[in-house]
Structures are given as C-alpha cells and as structure tokens.
Amino acid sequence: MKRIAFLFILFLGIVAQAQVSFTGTATRDAIALNERLRVEFKMNVDGDSFRPPNFAGFSIASGPIQGISQSYVNGKGTFTKSYTYILAPESTGPKTIGRATMNYQGEEFSTTPFTVSITKSIADPRATTSNEPVREIAEQNIHLVAEVSNASPYLNEAIRVVYKLYVSNNSGINGWTETDSPKYADFWSQNIDNRDQQVRTGTYQGQEYRYLVLREAILYPQKTGSLTIEPLVLDVNVQVPSGRRDFFGRSFMTTEKLRVTAGARAINVKDLPQEGRPASFTGAVGQFDFGVSLTRAQLESGESLVATVEAKGTGNLQLMQLPKLDVPERLEVYEPERVDKTQTTYSGVRGSIADNYTIVPQSGGTFTLPDVEFSYFDPAARQYKTINSGENRIEVSGPAVTANSNSGTNVLSAGDTFAFIKTSTDLEPIQQKRFYGTTVYWSIVGAMFLLIPLVLLFKKRREVVASDVQGRKVKKANKLSKKYLSEARRNIGNAEAFYESLERALHNFLKSKLKITAAEMTKQRVDELLQQRRVQDEARTEFISLLSTAEMARYAPSTATAMQEDYDKASKVINQLDKQLN
C-alpha cells in the first residue's frame, strides 16, 4: 500500500513538472550591429530565483522589465510571468543566448539556448528612443489579424473575413481609433452584426492570447483574377508593464499609443467552369432547393391564383436571377413580385427569394404550367446541378372558350350563350316610405352635431398622446440610466460587469438628454451635440473620456480603486450635464 501511495505521489510530481512552461525568445533571428534586440523569458508559474544568462557578445541596454499577468476568461485561469531585456550587440557574427534558470517548488527549470545572427551596421537602423523597450513590448503583444475563410474562391462564392485584435496576457488595451477602414472593391459585401463583443482565448503563432472580434463581413467576388482586400488600420492605446512596482510588488502599467494594421489580403478568384454548364444556368452559386407552387389549383373563371417560383438555401441569393414562368396565352398574368427573405449568417447569405406571379384565368378549362428548370453551381461539389419543378395543372370552372375554324376568333360555345345572365333577382318596391324630415332623421342630424366637439376633443387628445411618445422614451431612458449606474456601483470589483453597466448608464443618459438613437451614439456625434448645447468644455471632455474608458476598460486589467474612481467621475459628470442640459 505504501508503494502504491509513493508511486501516486511520484506521478503527480511528473504531471506538475509537465505543466510548467519556461521559454526564452527573441524578437528576430538576425539584426544589424547598430540595432537592438528584445529578449523575453516567460514562465506560466510563479517561479523564483530567476537567473538570466550572461548575454555574451551583448550589452544590456535596458532591463529586466518584469511583468505578471493573471486572468480568468470563460472560467479558465491563466498566469504569465516574464522578464524582458533590450540588448545591444557588441560585434558581428552568430551569438548564442544561453540558458536562463528559475526555481519552482524546489525544482530547477531552464530555457533552451538559441542563436541570433549579427550583421554589419545598416544605413537606416530601427529607431531607438528612450521608450523603445516599452514600445517593443507593445509591438510584440498586440496583433491585428484579418482571417479569410477561403483565399481562392469561385466567382460569386461566399467568403468570410474576420478582423481579430490579439492581446497577450501580460498587456491590455485602453481604447482604439479606426484610422482606415477595409475596402472591398470588386466584392459584393454584407457586414455581420457583432454587437455582443466578448473577450475570448486563443493562440497566435503558437502563443496563448486573448482576442476580440472587431468586425466580420461576408464577401461575394464579382470578377475573376487577383483581388485585394484593403487593410483595417487602428491606433491602439496599449497598456504594458513599465518595469516599476508599488509597495505591494504589483507592476505599474504604462500606456503606449501604437498603430497596427491587418495588412492587405490577396484573393485569387477562379472563374466558373465552362464544361458542363447548363443552358438554364443564370449565375446562381451555392447550395439550393427549387420549386414552383400554386396557392390554389381549382378556381372559378375570373378569380385569381398566385404561382410562386422559389429558390432557397445558402449562396448568392440577392445577386442571382430566377428562371421565368411560362404561362399559357389564355391565362392573364401580371409582372412578378419579388419576395426576399434572406439574412446574412457566418456561412453566407441564407434564406429564400421568390417571384410571385398573379394569374387570372379568363375562361374555363384545364391549363398546364410547363416544367421550370433551375441550374446552379455547387462550389463544394465543384459541379453544376439542375432541379426541375415539374408541371402544374390548373382546373378552371366556367364557360370554355373555343376557336372558330372559319374566322379564327374565340367564341362561346352554344350551351354557354346565356351563362352570364342572372337567374335570380333582388328587386325593390317603387313606392317607399320617406325618411327625410322624419323624427328619426332629425335625431340623427342633431346627434351628429353633438358628436363634432367630442370628435375634436378625442383627436386633440390623440395628438397629445402621440406627441408625448418621445417624452415617455426620455423618461424610460432616464430611469434606465439611474438603474445601470446603481448596478455599476454594486459590480465594483468585477471589471467586465462594472464597465458594461457604466457604459449602459452613460448611453441611456445621452438618450434622455440629447434625444438620440443608438445608431447616433458615436463619440464624435455626442461631442458635436454637447458643443451645440453649450456644455462646459471640462464636463464635455470628461464625459467623452468616460465613454472611451467604459467601452474599453473591461478588456484591460483594472483594480477596484480604478473602478471606484470611474464611478465617482460618472456620478459627478452626469450631475453636471444634467444641470447644464435642462
């Protein structure tokens, strides 16, 4: 029994060691003699007794800058501790960064040595400034990426582009500004609504990061060849460790403004194959079902029915053409009405489109709507597919129309000559009692005059109620603002919940005071409206700053003290604006 217990403890120790990660990395594999190299040693445990290598062939320009990050996302906790050095090479040639060591739970761990090549000095070295270490840390910890679902689609095949902002666990962001939006020339594009922005965990170049999906779009290429998706460019306020610590050993964070870009993406669009293309193909690309349906198959002459030509599925529904419905000459048909029931999803545009034909038979008989053929290209199967609707039969009751062989005109058959003469009557007597001038007549006239003031009063009341709709919205938004501000106070200590409540409180306050909608809720528009209402500059600037903080602080490390300060600022600035906007 003791032996089993010993083996179990030994097994736990092996598992614990296997979970420890201690690595050393450099920003580049080769640099010039007059450039700088950033080296980072990172561990996923709280190790101690850290000892760096001797950095032979280098002088230490800055460091060590120590960073500690601990976060919980979706119930999963992560811990990262890092030591960063900025090194200046002393000579050319290959240089080896040796082993760094640290201790954890009585065990010693070390990194793997790696080699960096030092070349001759260059004419245009990378700029070096006093804040270069901090900036280099920011550049290595923030990445803007455009992920494309398919870089080689067919013409009119849907592709999805997702813009993600990756942030390392030992950094944070405190707001960003979009300086250049992506451009989708030669694409039909549809943005995907992404209001529920959540911070998620993932990997980037083999390292664990937090990331935020900034925007998503579905694109349909409209021409073949090499097409370019222009990049998204952001100015991001990055929070990175400054290398200084407070009395309790916690790292001070410093903010560095950094411009990041997703880079242009090249898309190689293939033409649809000519081989096997059906004559009925009109440009549909995707996966579809097709059919023709009737609202009714039996009716009377002169009545109407609706024939629906419908395609449903996933693909370029809003760009393709539906085949035409061929209707016999003896049926009167109107121009079709297009019905669009589509929505943009992560896999493309999904739903259905239909052409509704209103048909009115002018005579009795049996009529046949011929088969309708629909063809589309399936990019997954890489082939064309054809669906036939089948014939539809219409039975119409009423006098039939036949062709006169002598004149070539259509005449009624002999048995139906008097088919449209009514066989029943609804006659009224010639002598009727007079209604004009009777007591009932004058009573009705008097009542109508008495009702006029009541109608006017009712109309006035409805106008008042209608005009007060905005007032009710304002009152509701004001109540919501107070509700979310109280909710934010209760959530101090929980950064994501606190700043979400604070943001809602600020937005509802704006709705109640400026009478604007959610679509107008941009910082630039709010700033313009506050200036127009002659709000004092100090209060206006403080409010815009709070909006930016509330939008982004939930994605960055924050303390209870900082949350309390932001709550106090919000209460103060809301009171100031409330007085100035009345």
Side-chain angles (χ1 to χ4, degrees):
M1 190 70 181
K2 292 182 178 179
R3 183 170 181 173
I4 293 175
F6 172 76
L7 291 175
F8 180 71
I9 294 173
L10 180 62
F11 171 76
L12 291 178
I14 294 173
V15 172
Q17 289 186 16
Q19 293 176 344
V20 176
S21 173
F22 183 38
T23 60
T25 57
T27 51
R28 292 183 285 172
D29 296 331
I31 63 169
L33 184 61
N34 55 344
E35 292 185 313
R36 299 292 182 264
L37 179 70
R38 175 178 173 269
V39 176
E40 182 180 47
F41 301 97
K42 186 181 294 184
M43 64 190 77
N44 65 344
V45 294
D46 191 13
D48 52 21
S49 301
F50 171 76
R51 293 181 295 278
N54 59 12
F55 297 121
F58 294 89
S59 61
I60 299 177
S62 178
I65 299 174
Q66 183 177 345
I68 294 178
S69 173
Q70 188 170 4
S71 64
Y72 290 89
V73 179
N74 297 329
K76 182 180 178 182
T78 60
F79 177 88
T80 303
K81 187 176 184 179
S82 62
Y83 295 86
T84 304
Y85 294 84
I86 306 299
L87 306 179
E90 297 176 336
S91 59
T92 60
K95 307 294 180 184
T96 299
I97 306 294
R99 300 177 184 271
T101 61
M102 65 92 178
N103 291 329
Y104 179 66
Q105 294 183 349
E107 296 290 331
E108 184 175 270
F109 297 86
S110 62
T111 61
T112 302
F114 56 92
T115 302
V116 178
S117 178
I118 310 300
T119 61
K120 293 181 180 180
S121 298
I122 57 177
D124 188 18
R126 216 166 155 185
T128 56
T129 61
S130 59
N131 68 336
E132 181 185 4
V134 173
R135 186 170 187 82
E136 288 202 13
I137 293 174
E139 290 175 350
Q140 293 300 316
N141 287 276
I142 302 294
H143 307 279
L144 180 60
V145 178
E147 296 180 356
V148 177
S149 61
N150 184 4
S152 183
Y154 283 100
L155 182 69
N156 262 318
E157 179 185 1
I159 63 173
R160 178 184 172 204
V161 58
V162 183
Y163 293 91
K164 295 181 179 179
L165 184 62
Y166 285 92
V167 183
S168 69
N169 291 325
N170 63 341
S171 301
I173 55 176
N174 187 21
W176 67 74
T177 302
E178 188 173 303
T179 60
D180 200 359
S181 300
K183 299 176 180 62
Y184 309 122
D186 300 318
F187 290 92
W188 184 89
S189 63
Q190 188 73 33
N191 290 324
I192 299 176
D193 189 10
N194 186 23
R195 296 181 184 274
D196 185 20
Q197 293 183 332
Q198 293 184 351
V199 179
R200 298 177 173 87
T201 57
T203 57
Y204 176 74
Q205 296 183 346
Q207 300 291 324
E208 189 173 274
Y209 279 77
R210 294 168 296 159
Y211 72 88
L212 182 68
V213 176
L214 299 182
R215 63 167 64 190
E216 299 177 75
I218 296 295
L219 310 180
Y220 287 89
Q222 297 301 293
K223 60 187 292 188
T224 59
S226 180
L227 306 183
T228 301
I229 299 176
E230 296 298 330
L232 171 66
V233 182
L234 304 177
D235 284 339
V236 184
N237 296 323
V238 186
Q239 293 180 324
V240 294
S242 64
R244 297 182 295 109
R245 295 184 173 276
D246 61 14
F247 178 78
F248 299 99
R250 294 174 298 191
S251 178
F252 285 108
M253 305 294 285
T254 185
T255 301
E256 178 74 16
K257 189 172 184 178
L258 184 68
R259 175 162 291 187
V260 294
T261 176
R265 294 298 304 268
I267 307 298
N268 182 32
V269 183
K270 299 176 291 188
D271 197 3
L272 299 177
Q274 294 293 329
E275 183 180 354
R277 179 179 293 187
S280 59
F281 177 72
T282 57
V285 178
Q287 292 83 36
F288 304 101
D289 288 328
F290 175 78
V292 177
S293 62
L294 306 178
T295 55
R296 54 199 299 195
Q298 295 180 343
L299 68 162
E300 297 285 338
S301 174
E303 295 181 338
S304 65
L305 64 89
V306 176
T308 300
V309 180
E310 181 182 40
K312 56 184 177 181
T314 301
N316 61 335
L317 287 162
Q318 296 177 330
L319 301 173
M320 69 188 198
Q321 296 178 355
L322 288 172
K324 299 295 183 181
L325 182 65
D326 189 12
V327 179
E329 292 182 359
R330 287 163 57 188
L331 297 178
E332 184 178 358
V333 61
Y334 295 90
E335 283 296 318
E337 175 190 3
R338 173 58 62 95
V339 178
D340 187 330
K341 296 181 179 179
T342 58
Q343 59 180 345
T344 304
T345 67
Y346 295 119
S347 58
V349 176
R350 174 175 296 180
S352 67
I353 58 170
D355 284 343
N356 289 339
Y357 293 81
T358 299
I359 299 174
V360 182
Q362 297 300 308
S363 63
T366 299
F367 303 93
T368 300
L369 299 182
D371 173 69
V372 181
E373 184 175 282
F374 172 72
S375 297
Y376 65 95
F377 180 75
D378 187 342
R382 299 182 181 180
Q383 65 180 12
Y384 291 96
K385 296 183 178 180
T386 299
I387 303 175
N388 292 87
S389 67
E391 294 182 345
N392 284 275
R393 192 176 299 274
I394 303 173
E395 298 287 345
V396 181
S397 301
V401 175
T402 60
N404 187 310
S405 58
N406 295 325
S407 63
T409 60
N410 293 332
V411 298
L412 291 174
S413 62
D416 296 321
T417 304
F418 300 100
F420 300 107
I421 297 178
K422 290 186 178 181
T423 57
S424 61
T425 61
D426 186 15
L427 303 178
E428 296 180 356
I430 297 176
Q431 297 294 332
Q432 294 184 355
K433 293 182 179 180
R434 293 182 58 192
F435 175 69
Y436 177 77
T438 63
T439 304
V440 176
Y441 170 81
W442 289 114
S443 298
I444 293 174
V445 172
M448 291 176 63
F449 278 103
L450 291 175
L451 284 174
I452 290 176
L454 295 177
V455 170
L456 293 175
L457 183 62
F458 177 74
K459 183 179 178 182
K460 184 66 176 179
R461 178 60 181 170
R462 287 193 62 182
E463 291 175 352
V464 171
V465 172
S467 64
D468 197 41
V469 170
Q470 183 64 32
R472 292 200 301 270
K473 289 182 179 179
V474 168
K475 291 179 181 177
K476 181 179 178 182
N478 196 26
K479 289 181 181 178
L480 288 174
S481 175
K482 294 178 181 178
K483 171 189 171 183
Y484 287 126
L485 194 61
S486 300
E487 190 176 291
R489 184 175 185 179
R490 292 194 300 270
N491 288 327
I492 291 177
N494 184 343
E496 185 173 356
F498 170 78
Y499 285 107
E500 183 177 356
S501 300
L502 187 63
E503 184 180 7
R504 290 182 177 181
L506 297 174
H507 283 182
N508 279 283
F509 176 77
L510 289 175
K511 289 179 182 178
S512 67
K513 293 300 180 182
L514 300 181
K515 299 180 179 61
I516 60 177
T517 63
E520 300 177 279
M521 203 75 68
T522 63
K523 290 189 284 292
Q524 181 179 359
R525 178 59 177 161
V526 170
D527 192 33
E528 292 175 356
L529 291 174
L530 292 178
Q531 291 185 49
Q532 293 174 7
R533 299 289 292 273
R534 301 186 182 279
V535 172
Q536 295 179 1
D537 290 344
E538 181 180 357
R540 176 175 54 81
T541 304
E542 185 70 25
F543 191 85
I544 299 299
S545 175
L546 273 171
L547 277 177
S548 299
T549 301
E551 287 176 1
M552 298 313 310
R554 53 181 172 178
Y555 308 129
S558 186
T559 63
T561 302
M563 288 183 238
Q564 182 64 52
E565 291 177 355
D566 287 336
Y567 173 80
D568 294 338
K569 289 179 183 177
S571 300
K572 178 181 176 182
V573 75
I574 284 177
N575 287 333
Q576 291 176 347
L577 292 181
D578 188 42
K579 295 176 182 177
Q580 296 180 36
L581 292 174
N582 281 337

